[in-house]
Amino acid sequence: MDKAHLSKRAYLLHLSAASIANGIKNGMFRSLFYGHGVEFRGVREYLRGDDVRAIDRNVTARMGKPFVKIFEEERELDVFIILDKSLSMGTGSEKQTRMETAAECAQLIAMASFKNESPVGAVTFDGKIQFSSSPKSGMHNLMRVLKEFEKPEVKKTEGSALNSTLNGAEKLLRKRTLVLVISDFRTTGWEDSFARLCQKNDVIAIRITDPLDASLPKIGSVLFSDPETDYRCVLPCSSKEFAKAWSSDNNRRTDLWKKSCLSHGGIPLIISTADDAAGELIKFFDTREKQI
């Protein structure tokens, strides 16, 4: 990408991160913030026992009866991002691969956390854990994490270490944290460790999908290959029966994933490579805010 394109992308990421930061801080996750300072929230009528020093003299004079100021403690929320970099994340039929979409989501959340003055940590993995850092504050830490999200993997390890990564996150995090797991979830055996992580943290599972997951192009027989195993087979894409079975199987697996996330206490979110990742995240956090 040229400098002009990079500059525009950075500017858009900055604007989107600000909106996401507002949604996280004012939405359903506001109860997780803790630490120092207070923020003015409004006024209410004076009740017996209230501190007279909290009386708002201007409102009291205007209303003809005493009102007191309400303050809410400003809280510090740790954020931890789990990013899947396995081989299957390199696939995609749109302008971006799953990996590029996932990395953009991770970058936006990290930048939003920094804007909220929230310590942010991360772990990346493919067939094994490649990078791990506990939540920390500061620009230096943010740049280190962002660089890791963008870092191309020269040598990939086959398979997915999602289960062991979730286990490791549970042991690493010392206090209640907002955890975001960004993956295609194309693996098995992760549910128990996911459930344990949800017991002590607020966990959002972001499933990265692609339009081909649900609908195949009608272009005759096509050779498909598995990026993890290099297994290859020819699929009859023009067959109506096969296309229906393909779509039905995808819907079944998606529903099972959603139910699994919810039953274990997680919050499911699906973002496609065809979506505007920033827009989807903004909409998600804005919706959660309005549900409070």
Side-chain angles (χ1 to χ4, degrees), residues 1-16 96 100 103-105 107-108 111 150:
M1 292 185 287
D2 59 33
K3 290 183 179 180
H5 186 86
L6 282 171
S7 178
K8 182 179 179 181
R9 182 171 181 268
Y11 177 70
L12 292 175
L13 285 173
H14 175 78
L15 291 180
S16 299
Q96 291 195 129
E100 289 168 333
E104 184 175 345
C105 290
Q107 290 171 330
L108 285 165
M111 292 170 65
E150 283 281 12

Side-chain angles (χ1 to χ4, degrees), residues 79-240:
V79 176
F80 194 71
I81 303 166
I82 298 175
L83 179 62
D84 185 350
K85 285 190 170 186
S86 59
L87 288 168
S88 63
M89 292 290 286
T91 61
S93 61
E94 295 296 314
K95 294 180 179 179
Q96 291 195 129
T97 63
R98 297 175 205 265
M99 184 66 257
E100 289 168 333
T101 301
E104 184 175 345
C105 290
Q107 290 171 330
L108 285 165
I109 293 163
M111 292 170 65
S113 302
F114 178 75
K115 288 180 179 295
N116 281 337
E117 298 183 0
S118 293
V120 61
V123 59
T124 64
F125 69 93
D126 46 29
K128 62 181 181 180
I129 296 174
Q130 297 290 352
F131 169 85
S132 180
S133 175
S134 58
K136 298 182 181 68
S137 300
M139 176 62 78
H140 176 75
N141 177 67
L142 173 67
M143 298 308 295
R144 178 169 173 254
V145 169
L146 291 178
K147 182 178 179 181
E148 186 61 34
F149 292 156
E150 283 281 12
K151 181 180 176 183
E153 300 299 326
V154 178
K155 184 178 180 181
K156 289 271 193 177
T157 303
E158 293 180 356
S160 173
L162 178 57
N163 181 54
S164 58
T165 301
L166 295 173
N167 275 324
E170 180 206 353
K171 297 173 182 176
L172 177 68
L173 301 175
R174 299 298 181 183
K175 64 180 182 182
R176 195 164 190 86
T177 300
L178 177 59
V179 181
L180 300 105
V181 186
I182 309 174
S183 171
D184 58 7
F185 289 89
R186 291 192 168 192
T187 185
T188 58
W190 55 272
E191 291 87 351
D192 289 345
S193 53
F194 181 83
R196 288 192 295 271
L197 187 63
C198 290
Q199 288 175 1
K200 297 181 180 179
N201 303 279
D202 284 63
V203 183
I204 302 173
I206 302 178
R207 183 181 180 114
I208 305 299
T209 64
D210 186 84
L212 282 182
D213 296 344
S215 179
L216 292 172
K218 298 177 181 179
I219 52 176
S221 297
V222 179
L223 177 65
F224 282 74
S225 65
D226 185 335
E228 297 283 357
T229 64
D230 203 32
Y231 172 77
R232 302 185 177 207
C233 66
V234 176
L235 300 180
C237 294
S238 295
S239 167
K240 292 183 179 179

Side-chain angles (χ1 to χ4, degrees), residues 20-118:
I20 294 168
N22 185 63
I24 293 174
K25 194 166 186 178
N26 296 324
M28 69 172 293
F29 305 105
R30 66 181 177 216
S31 62
L32 296 178
F33 285 77
Y34 72 98
H36 57 280
V38 291
E39 182 179 351
F40 177 70
R41 286 298 182 188
V43 297
R44 63 166 172 78
E45 285 191 43
Y46 174 85
L47 300 175
R48 181 177 293 180
D50 284 340
D51 189 341
V52 295
R53 292 174 296 182
I55 291 177
D56 188 314
R57 298 186 183 280
N58 292 330
V59 177
T60 297
R62 189 165 63 250
M63 301 301 294
K65 53 185 175 181
F67 277 75
V68 294
K69 297 177 182 178
I70 304 171
F71 294 91
E72 182 175 303
E73 186 180 2
E74 287 185 357
R75 302 173 182 258
E76 184 181 82
L77 169 66
D78 280 10
V79 176
F80 194 71
I81 303 166
I82 298 175
L83 179 62
D84 185 350
K85 285 190 170 186
S86 59
L87 288 168
S88 63
M89 292 290 286
T91 61
S93 61
E94 295 296 314
K95 294 180 179 179
Q96 291 195 129
T97 63
R98 297 175 205 265
M99 184 66 257
E100 289 168 333
T101 301
E104 184 175 345
C105 290
Q107 290 171 330
L108 285 165
I109 293 163
M111 292 170 65
S113 302
F114 178 75
K115 288 180 179 295
N116 281 337
E117 298 183 0
S118 293

